[in-house]
Amino acid sequence: MLPRKILLLLGFIFSTVANAFAGEGTINTGDTAWVTMATAMVMVMTPAGLALFYGGMSRYKNILNTIAMILIAYCLASIVWVVWGYSLAFGESDSLIIGNLNYLFLNGINIHSVSGTIPTIIFVLFQMTFACISVAIILGSVVDRMKFSSWIVFTILWITFVYAPVCNWAWGGGWMHKMGALDFAGGNVVHINAGVSGLVLALFVGKRQGYGKNAMIPSSVTFTALGAGLLWFGWFGFNAGSALEANGIAASAFLVTNTAAAMGGIAWLFIEWKHSKKPTLLGLASGVIAGLVGITPAAGFVTLTGAILIGAISGIIGFFGVAVLKHRIGYDDSLDAFGIHGLCGIWGALATGFFASPSITQGASGLFYGNPGQVWIQFVSIIATIFFSAIATAIIVLITRWLTHGLRVEKEVELAGLDNALHGERAFEIE
């Protein structure tokens, strides 16, 4: 019998060599457990968090319609993603513009497939939740007036022809990735993409009846605050989960996400307090979301100091977009998808070029760490996303309008409320 110490030494050597040869093709149970949990957290953001957040801000006669449109968007995006969306976004292609259809119906992906250190199936699902919430964010620009049938057609086309290409550019090996653009969890892919698309859709659909003349009071600020809390919780999966491993970068992303959210809420609250003399719960909740949006592209690249500055400025930008810019220009972005997601997403993506620190992720350095060229790379990626999202969404809107014979509900339906007219249901029984 060999001495116990020799046996332990041989076992250690064997396991070390085995792990070295296994590389990234081996499933790590800790990473898998974390990304599975993160996927569930991001899933909750859409049919629960965003549904409450948007539902509470919509008028009482349209709250169920708002939630129904979010739920159907989640259902449709889920199917589109596993049938052809994932393949278009992550299928290997030499075009650097769009993937391919090799993974149609997830062909070739099974329980033995591995991406990094997690099962490919989990990676597919994690990315699916991003697609789902991206299209649902757009709804905030057009609640109270868009046809349910038009929304269904728009959702399918947008995931296919807008979301999938931008996702491929940034995360699927496309030109943005090759250029070195930094987008940890979706500044370009999710927030700029959805925010700009929401603005374009709102311009095509037109303003709500009585907009700028009649008071359009939220049905329940309480619902909105609860929705913000659920979104905040889910955002930890959104950002920290994007590390795709249970490691220090995930922990750092968790920390800076919470910090930026808190700073966004504080900044919005105090600037609103000074501007309108009242600190509102709606403003506080909106500021938290603004901070979360701003930190999303930077979460895996910046230090605590960067997160504090990104979050605070996000709160200020969000307030400016909602309280000033929208009214001066005169567009009707119902629940401020562009004002919060679009504008704060732009700021967050650009700020990543300033604050990215190699102490967090090696090879990711911004202006303040000796790499001014990263700011230009971030700027190019932002401009490209804005122009592509705007033009592609406009084309999709025109196709949708033709297929569904108009985008907007009839005037009588809009004035009466979409809940009862379209769904035969009411959220509240009012005596």
Side-chain angles (χ1 to χ4, degrees):
M1 295 290 290
L2 291 173
R4 178 179 174 81
K5 289 184 178 179
I6 295 178
L7 288 174
L8 290 174
L9 178 62
L10 289 174
F12 173 77
I13 294 172
F14 176 79
S15 63
T16 301
V17 172
N19 287 334
F21 278 103
E24 290 189 341
T26 300
I27 291 176
N28 181 290
T29 54
D31 295 342
T32 300
W34 163 235
V35 180
T36 300
M37 177 59 69
T39 300
M41 292 167 71
V42 182
M43 180 271 172
V44 168
M45 292 175 70
T46 304
L50 193 65
L52 282 170
F53 188 76
Y54 275 178
M57 283 196 289
S58 63
R59 288 178 286 177
Y60 77 91
K61 59 185 179 181
N62 298 320
I63 183 173
L64 292 185
N65 174 258
T66 300
I67 295 174
M69 292 176 89
I70 290 173
L71 287 176
I72 193 61
Y74 185 89
C75 293
L76 291 168
S78 296
I79 300 302
V80 168
W81 190 251
V82 297
V83 175
W84 66 78
Y86 174 79
S87 192
L88 291 175
F90 290 95
E92 294 182 5
S93 172
D94 294 330
S95 71
L96 304 183
I97 300 296
I98 191 68
N100 53 44
L101 294 177
N102 290 346
Y103 297 132
L104 196 66
F105 287 91
L106 300 187
N107 176 57
I109 297 175
N110 55 49
I111 61 172
H112 304 293
S113 303
V114 180
S115 293
T117 58
I118 63 174
T120 302
I121 291 173
I122 292 300
F123 179 74
V124 172
L125 287 169
F126 183 66
Q127 292 297 333
M128 179 202 75
T129 59
F130 281 63
C132 292
I133 197 168
S134 295
V135 71
I137 286 170
I138 297 172
L139 177 66
S141 294
V142 292
V143 297
D144 293 344
R145 60 200 189 276
M146 188 170 181
K147 290 166 61 175
F148 196 73
S149 58
S150 298
W151 176 245
I152 288 174
V153 173
F154 175 85
T155 295
I156 296 171
L157 294 177
W158 191 84
I159 291 291
T160 304
F161 296 108
V162 182
Y163 183 84
V166 178
C167 182
N168 178 266
W169 297 352
W171 296 337
W175 70 268
M176 250 184 226
H177 174 77
K178 298 293 184 184
M179 185 178 65
L182 302 177
D183 189 357
F184 191 74
N188 283 289
V189 180
V190 177
H191 298 294
I192 299 174
N193 204 7
V196 171
S197 296
L199 177 60
V200 171
L201 182 57
L203 293 174
F204 272 97
V205 174
K207 300 177 183 179
R208 288 168 288 178
Q209 299 290 338
Y211 178 74
K213 300 177 182 178
N214 302 330
M216 297 184 176
I217 302 172
S219 58
S220 175
V221 176
T222 303
F223 279 6
T224 296
L226 291 173
L230 279 173
L231 287 169
W232 194 341
F233 168 76
W235 227 292
F236 296 136
F238 201 89
N239 286 359
S242 291
L244 299 176
E245 294 181 7
N247 58 17
I249 294 176
S252 177
F254 205 121
L255 171 67
V256 299
T257 296
N258 188 73
T259 302
M263 283 304 304
I266 292 169
W268 188 306
L269 181 75
F270 279 98
I271 194 172
E272 179 187 51
W273 201 344
K274 179 175 177 60
H275 181 267
S276 63
K277 309 307 179 186
K278 292 183 180 179
T280 68
L281 177 57
L282 181 59
L284 178 58
S286 298
V288 166
I289 302 304
L292 289 166
V293 171
I295 198 62
T296 293
F301 305 121
V302 302
T303 64
L304 185 62
T305 302
I308 290 172
L309 293 172
I310 289 172
I313 296 173
S314 293
I316 295 169
I317 290 174
F319 177 81
F320 173 79
V322 170
V324 180
L325 184 65
K326 179 172 71 170
H327 299 292
R328 286 187 179 178
I329 297 178
Y331 59 87
D332 184 10
D333 178 6
S334 306
L335 308 183
D336 302 303
F338 176 72
I340 294 178
H341 294 274
L343 293 180
C344 294
I346 290 170
W347 157 243
L350 188 62
T352 304
F354 289 99
F355 297 107
S357 170
S359 67
I360 305 298
T361 300
Q362 291 185 355
S365 298
L367 172 65
F368 298 137
Y369 295 89
N371 182 25
Q374 191 63 48
V375 178
W376 172 250
I377 293 173
Q378 296 301 111
F379 178 76
V380 171
S381 71
I382 292 167
I383 295 300
T385 303
I386 291 172
F387 274 92
F388 176 77
S389 298
I391 295 170
T393 299
I395 294 171
I396 287 172
V397 170
L398 292 173
I399 294 172
T400 301
R401 186 168 65 184
W402 176 70
L403 290 174
T404 60
H405 307 288
L407 300 169
R408 189 170 181 144
V409 298
E410 297 177 355
K411 181 178 179 180
E412 295 75 15
V413 172
E414 183 178 344
L415 292 174
L418 279 63
D419 288 359
N420 192 47
L422 297 185
H423 306 285
E425 300 169 300
R426 288 184 293 185
F428 306 109
E429 291 295 334
I430 299 179
E431 299 294 336

PDB file of all heavy atoms in Angstrom, residues 312-329:
ATOM      1  N   ALA A 312     -25.672  58.214 -10.763  1.00  0.00           N
ATOM      2  CA  ALA A 312     -26.130  59.573 -10.471  1.00  0.00           C
ATOM      3  C   ALA A 312     -26.474  60.330 -11.751  1.00  0.00           C
ATOM      4  O   ALA A 312     -27.525  60.979 -11.848  1.00  0.00           O
ATOM      5  CB  ALA A 312     -25.065  60.327  -9.684  1.00  0.00           C
ATOM      6  N   ILE A 313     -25.594  60.253 -12.742  1.00  0.00           N
ATOM      7  CA  ILE A 313     -25.848  60.960 -14.000  1.00  0.00           C
ATOM      8  C   ILE A 313     -27.017  60.348 -14.750  1.00  0.00           C
ATOM      9  O   ILE A 313     -27.786  61.056 -15.415  1.00  0.00           O
ATOM     10  CB  ILE A 313     -24.559  60.982 -14.854  1.00  0.00           C
ATOM     11  CG1 ILE A 313     -23.475  61.782 -14.124  1.00  0.00           C
ATOM     12  CG2 ILE A 313     -24.824  61.580 -16.232  1.00  0.00           C
ATOM     13  CD1 ILE A 313     -22.115  61.738 -14.786  1.00  0.00           C
ATOM     14  N   SER A 314     -27.212  59.037 -14.619  1.00  0.00           N
ATOM     15  CA  SER A 314     -28.372  58.389 -15.237  1.00  0.00           C
ATOM     16  C   SER A 314     -29.674  58.949 -14.669  1.00  0.00           C
ATOM     17  O   SER A 314     -30.640  59.189 -15.403  1.00  0.00           O
ATOM     18  CB  SER A 314     -28.316  56.873 -15.010  1.00  0.00           C
ATOM     19  OG  SER A 314     -27.246  56.285 -15.704  1.00  0.00           O
ATOM     20  N   GLY A 315     -29.707  59.141 -13.352  1.00  0.00           N
ATOM     21  CA  GLY A 315     -30.904  59.716 -12.743  1.00  0.00           C
ATOM     22  C   GLY A 315     -31.198  61.103 -13.260  1.00  0.00           C
ATOM     23  O   GLY A 315     -32.354  61.454 -13.530  1.00  0.00           O
ATOM     24  N   ILE A 316     -30.175  61.913 -13.448  1.00  0.00           N
ATOM     25  CA  ILE A 316     -30.339  63.278 -13.965  1.00  0.00           C
ATOM     26  C   ILE A 316     -30.796  63.245 -15.421  1.00  0.00           C
ATOM     27  O   ILE A 316     -31.714  63.961 -15.827  1.00  0.00           O
ATOM     28  CB  ILE A 316     -29.017  64.055 -13.822  1.00  0.00           C
ATOM     29  CG1 ILE A 316     -28.664  64.225 -12.339  1.00  0.00           C
ATOM     30  CG2 ILE A 316     -29.110  65.416 -14.515  1.00  0.00           C
ATOM     31  CD1 ILE A 316     -27.261  64.749 -12.098  1.00  0.00           C
ATOM     32  N   ILE A 317     -30.147  62.394 -16.230  1.00  0.00           N
ATOM     33  CA  ILE A 317     -30.513  62.288 -17.650  1.00  0.00           C
ATOM     34  C   ILE A 317     -31.944  61.779 -17.808  1.00  0.00           C
ATOM     35  O   ILE A 317     -32.718  62.278 -18.637  1.00  0.00           O
ATOM     36  CB  ILE A 317     -29.521  61.375 -18.385  1.00  0.00           C
ATOM     37  CG1 ILE A 317     -28.160  62.055 -18.512  1.00  0.00           C
ATOM     38  CG2 ILE A 317     -30.041  60.984 -19.768  1.00  0.00           C
ATOM     39  CD1 ILE A 317     -27.077  61.168 -19.090  1.00  0.00           C
ATOM     40  N   GLY A 318     -32.300  60.780 -17.003  1.00  0.00           N
ATOM     41  CA  GLY A 318     -33.653  60.241 -17.077  1.00  0.00           C
ATOM     42  C   GLY A 318     -34.698  61.299 -16.756  1.00  0.00           C
ATOM     43  O   GLY A 318     -35.711  61.424 -17.446  1.00  0.00           O
ATOM     44  N   PHE A 319     -34.461  62.063 -15.698  1.00  0.00           N
ATOM     45  CA  PHE A 319     -35.396  63.130 -15.341  1.00  0.00           C
ATOM     46  C   PHE A 319     -35.504  64.159 -16.463  1.00  0.00           C
ATOM     47  O   PHE A 319     -36.598  64.595 -16.814  1.00  0.00           O
ATOM     48  CB  PHE A 319     -34.946  63.815 -14.054  1.00  0.00           C
ATOM     49  CG  PHE A 319     -35.823  64.968 -13.655  1.00  0.00           C
ATOM     50  CD1 PHE A 319     -37.016  64.746 -12.983  1.00  0.00           C
ATOM     51  CD2 PHE A 319     -35.477  66.279 -13.976  1.00  0.00           C
ATOM     52  CE1 PHE A 319     -37.854  65.811 -12.632  1.00  0.00           C
ATOM     53  CE2 PHE A 319     -36.296  67.340 -13.633  1.00  0.00           C
ATOM     54  CZ  PHE A 319     -37.491  67.106 -12.966  1.00  0.00           C
ATOM     55  N   PHE A 320     -34.374  64.544 -17.033  1.00  0.00           N
ATOM     56  CA  PHE A 320     -34.372  65.506 -18.134  1.00  0.00           C
ATOM     57  C   PHE A 320     -35.161  64.968 -19.323  1.00  0.00           C
ATOM     58  O   PHE A 320     -35.964  65.691 -19.924  1.00  0.00           O
ATOM     59  CB  PHE A 320     -32.936  65.802 -18.551  1.00  0.00           C
ATOM     60  CG  PHE A 320     -32.831  66.652 -19.790  1.00  0.00           C
ATOM     61  CD1 PHE A 320     -33.018  68.020 -19.730  1.00  0.00           C
ATOM     62  CD2 PHE A 320     -32.553  66.069 -21.020  1.00  0.00           C
ATOM     63  CE1 PHE A 320     -32.933  68.811 -20.883  1.00  0.00           C
ATOM     64  CE2 PHE A 320     -32.460  66.833 -22.174  1.00  0.00           C
ATOM     65  CZ  PHE A 320     -32.651  68.217 -22.105  1.00  0.00           C
ATOM     66  N   GLY A 321     -34.971  63.695 -19.655  1.00  0.00           N
ATOM     67  CA  GLY A 321     -35.677  63.112 -20.789  1.00  0.00           C
ATOM     68  C   GLY A 321     -37.177  63.066 -20.590  1.00  0.00           C
ATOM     69  O   GLY A 321     -37.950  63.283 -21.532  1.00  0.00           O
ATOM     70  N   VAL A 322     -37.599  62.783 -19.358  1.00  0.00           N
ATOM     71  CA  VAL A 322     -39.035  62.638 -19.065  1.00  0.00           C
ATOM     72  C   VAL A 322     -39.701  63.984 -18.811  1.00  0.00           C
ATOM     73  O   VAL A 322     -40.791  64.257 -19.324  1.00  0.00           O
ATOM     74  CB  VAL A 322     -39.221  61.710 -17.841  1.00  0.00           C
ATOM     75  CG1 VAL A 322     -40.673  61.730 -17.372  1.00  0.00           C
ATOM     76  CG2 VAL A 322     -38.786  60.296 -18.187  1.00  0.00           C
ATOM     77  N   ALA A 323     -39.070  64.834 -18.024  1.00  0.00           N
ATOM     78  CA  ALA A 323     -39.710  66.072 -17.584  1.00  0.00           C
ATOM     79  C   ALA A 323     -39.475  67.261 -18.500  1.00  0.00           C
ATOM     80  O   ALA A 323     -40.236  68.228 -18.462  1.00  0.00           O
ATOM     81  CB  ALA A 323     -39.223  66.425 -16.171  1.00  0.00           C
ATOM     82  N   VAL A 324     -38.432  67.196 -19.322  1.00  0.00           N
ATOM     83  CA  VAL A 324     -38.077  68.361 -20.139  1.00  0.00           C
ATOM     84  C   VAL A 324     -38.116  68.050 -21.633  1.00  0.00           C
ATOM     85  O   VAL A 324     -38.894  68.639 -22.387  1.00  0.00           O
ATOM     86  CB  VAL A 324     -36.679  68.900 -19.754  1.00  0.00           C
ATOM     87  CG1 VAL A 324     -36.320  70.108 -20.617  1.00  0.00           C
ATOM     88  CG2 VAL A 324     -36.632  69.261 -18.272  1.00  0.00           C
ATOM     89  N   LEU A 325     -37.268  67.119 -22.065  1.00  0.00           N
ATOM     90  CA  LEU A 325     -37.097  66.870 -23.494  1.00  0.00           C
ATOM     91  C   LEU A 325     -38.394  66.469 -24.184  1.00  0.00           C
ATOM     92  O   LEU A 325     -38.737  67.003 -25.250  1.00  0.00           O
ATOM     93  CB  LEU A 325     -36.041  65.770 -23.690  1.00  0.00           C
ATOM     94  CG  LEU A 325     -35.683  65.450 -25.144  1.00  0.00           C
ATOM     95  CD1 LEU A 325     -35.014  66.648 -25.802  1.00  0.00           C
ATOM     96  CD2 LEU A 325     -34.781  64.218 -25.207  1.00  0.00           C
ATOM     97  N   LYS A 326     -39.131  65.549 -23.595  1.00  0.00           N
ATOM     98  CA  LYS A 326     -40.363  65.060 -24.216  1.00  0.00           C
ATOM     99  C   LYS A 326     -41.360  66.181 -24.440  1.00  0.00           C
ATOM    100  O   LYS A 326     -42.002  66.260 -25.498  1.00  0.00           O
ATOM    101  CB  LYS A 326     -40.987  63.953 -23.351  1.00  0.00           C
ATOM    102  CG  LYS A 326     -42.287  63.396 -23.925  1.00  0.00           C
ATOM    103  CD  LYS A 326     -42.766  62.178 -23.158  1.00  0.00           C
ATOM    104  CE  LYS A 326     -43.279  62.531 -21.789  1.00  0.00           C
ATOM    105  NZ  LYS A 326     -43.951  61.357 -21.154  1.00  0.00           N
ATOM    106  N   HIS A 327     -41.487  67.065 -23.478  1.00  0.00           N
ATOM    107  CA  HIS A 327     -42.476  68.139 -23.585  1.00  0.00           C
ATOM    108  C   HIS A 327     -42.019  69.245 -24.538  1.00  0.00           C
ATOM    109  O   HIS A 327     -42.835  69.863 -25.213  1.00  0.00           O
ATOM    110  CB  HIS A 327     -42.765  68.697 -22.193  1.00  0.00           C
ATOM    111  CG  HIS A 327     -43.327  67.666 -21.255  1.00  0.00           C
ATOM    112  ND1 HIS A 327     -44.587  67.124 -21.427  1.00  0.00           N
ATOM    113  CD2 HIS A 327     -42.785  67.058 -20.169  1.00  0.00           C
ATOM    114  CE1 HIS A 327     -44.813  66.228 -20.463  1.00  0.00           C
ATOM    115  NE2 HIS A 327     -43.735  66.170 -19.700  1.00  0.00           N
ATOM    116  N   ARG A 328     -40.723  69.475 -24.584  1.00  0.00           N
ATOM    117  CA  ARG A 328     -40.226  70.503 -25.501  1.00  0.00           C
ATOM    118  C   ARG A 328     -40.347  70.069 -26.955  1.00  0.00           C
ATOM    119  O   ARG A 328     -40.693  70.867 -27.833  1.00  0.00           O
ATOM    120  CB  ARG A 328     -38.780  70.849 -25.166  1.00  0.00           C
ATOM    121  CG  ARG A 328     -38.639  71.678 -23.898  1.00  0.00           C
ATOM    122  CD  ARG A 328     -37.213  72.154 -23.691  1.00  0.00           C
ATOM    123  NE  ARG A 328     -37.100  72.966 -22.483  1.00  0.00           N
ATOM    124  CZ  ARG A 328     -35.963  73.490 -22.038  1.00  0.00           C
ATOM    125  NH1 ARG A 328     -34.822  73.271 -22.705  1.00  0.00           N
ATOM    126  NH2 ARG A 328     -35.947  74.220 -20.936  1.00  0.00           N
ATOM    127  N   ILE A 329     -40.050  68.790 -27.215  1.00  0.00           N
ATOM    128  CA  ILE A 329     -40.147  68.299 -28.590  1.00  0.00           C
ATOM    129  C   ILE A 329     -41.589  67.972 -28.954  1.00  0.00           C
ATOM    130  O   ILE A 329     -42.011  68.177 -30.096  1.00  0.00           O
ATOM    131  CB  ILE A 329     -39.239  67.068 -28.780  1.00  0.00           C
ATOM    132  CG1 ILE A 329     -37.778  67.482 -28.566  1.00  0.00           C
ATOM    133  CG2 ILE A 329     -39.421  66.464 -30.163  1.00  0.00           C
ATOM    134  CD1 ILE A 329     -36.791  66.336 -28.678  1.00  0.00           C
TER     135      ILE A 329
END
